Every structure is written in structure tokens, then in C-alpha cells.
Amino acid sequence: VTRATIYRYYANKLEIAWAVYKRYSTHVFDTMPAMIWDVQLNGATRLNALLNSFCEYFFAFPQSAQYIAEFNRLYADNLEVAQIRAASPILPNGEDPLTILVEVGVRDGSLRPTLDPKLIRAMTLAVLNGMEQRMLLQGEEISKEYECSLQEIYRCAIDVMMHGMKNHLSAA
């Protein structure tokens, strides 16, 4: 493929970068486990499955996470909220699975009733993205420093977040 062919479809490097970003974001969505849509399960169980799928994706497709981290760093000054939302995995109604599952968990009592789903989404993605970026930058040095694997650290972060979100007063 020649440069001329590429620029026939994309006006500049930023458009190419956005197209790749959207492709990786769509791939994350496509690899989510079916159980997150299982309405027989409570919201906390489904949310836990979603967060664990992020962990599995990170370790199965590190090049995708690496690209997104580099994209965020290189194009931070050019990022527009509308473009980020358009490139993020969302459902036809415009909602994202993470927000929906928090709402489901609050409604069914498996998550704390005081949780703000949009705030929880922002916090969760910020924590996981920050942790992923550090893991990408320092890799196995983190394992040596803390004497545990990167997967153990990632899964522990999910467990701690889930513990903080669960409604421990509910039987759900």
C-alpha cells in the first residue's frame, strides 16, 4: 500500500490514528464475554465479568493497549470529547456497558445504592488505564518490585474496586 493510497482515504495522520483507535476500541467490545448480557445474573456479577474481560484483553492483546496509551500521549492536545465517545465501545442507545452494568447492579441491589454510574465509569477507566500505562512502561520490573505477577496486580485492582462497589448489606 502506498502513501498516496492511504491519503486517498484519510486526510492526515491524525485521521489514520483515529481510525486505528476506533478499530481497537471496537475489538475490545467484540471480545466482551456473553455473560455480561445475561439478565439472569445480577449486576455485580456481570460487572465483575466485564472488568475481568478488560484484564484478559490487556494481556491477550498488549499491542492494542500499547497503541491506545501512545495515542493518548501523542494526541492529548488534539482529543475531542465527541471523537472519543464516537470511538468508544457503546451500545446502539448511546450507553456504554460499564455504565449500564452499574445501573443494573444498583437497581437489583447487588451494588451500593449510592453509586453514580457515570462517575464509577470514569473512576474505573481512569484507574485501569493508569495501571495499564504503568505496566506497559515498566513491564516485568513491576513484578520484581512487588514480587507478584502483572496479572495478579490487575486482578487484585478489580477485586478491590468490586469490593468497594458491592452492596454488602444486600443478599443479592
Side-chain angles (χ1 to χ4, degrees):
V1 178
T2 67
R3 180 178 277 202
T5 301
I6 291 172
Y7 285 108
R8 184 178 312 150
Y9 298 97
Y10 301 99
N12 54 46
K13 284 192 257 184
L14 184 57
E15 275 192 29
I16 295 167
W18 273 109
V20 173
Y21 181 88
K22 184 167 179 66
R23 183 175 174 95
Y24 280 140
S25 293
T26 300
H27 191 240
V28 170
F29 187 80
D30 292 343
T31 61
M32 290 177 184
M35 76 179 291
I36 71 167
W37 310 114
D38 185 348
V39 296
Q40 301 301 313
L41 300 173
N42 68 39
T45 300
R46 293 164 62 190
L47 179 61
N48 190 55
L50 176 64
L51 298 181
N52 276 288
S53 78
F54 292 162
C55 177
E56 291 164 17
Y57 187 87
F58 177 76
F59 291 103
F61 303 101
Q63 72 282 3
S64 174
Q66 182 72 40
Y67 177 83
I68 291 172
E70 289 176 15
F71 177 88
N72 288 336
R73 185 177 51 81
L74 292 171
Y75 295 107
D77 295 337
N78 298 316
L79 297 179
E80 294 183 22
V81 172
Q83 285 179 300
I84 293 169
R85 286 190 179 143
S88 296
I90 57 170
L91 301 171
N93 65 0
E95 290 290 335
D96 70 283
L98 203 157
T99 303
I100 289 171
L101 294 179
V102 173
E103 290 170 348
V104 168
V106 168
R107 270 196 314 272
D108 70 23
S110 61
L111 297 177
R112 291 186 2 235
T114 56
L115 296 180
D116 176 334
K118 291 184 189 231
L119 184 58
I120 293 299
R121 176 186 184 271
M123 176 279 303
T124 302
L125 294 178
V127 167
L128 295 180
N129 288 337
M131 182 176 58
E132 288 175 359
Q133 287 184 20
R134 180 155 187 245
M135 287 178 173
L136 288 167
L137 287 171
Q138 295 180 301
E140 291 304 316
E141 292 302 315
I142 296 171
S143 292
K144 292 175 190 170
E145 178 182 350
Y146 296 112
E147 299 178 342
C148 52
S149 74
L150 297 178
Q151 289 92 340
E152 289 174 308
I153 295 168
Y154 203 120
R155 292 199 189 284
C156 182
I158 291 168
D159 290 347
V160 169
M161 284 190 286
M162 287 302 304
H163 183 77
M165 291 187 278
K166 283 184 180 174
N167 185 357
H168 299 284
L169 302 176
S170 169

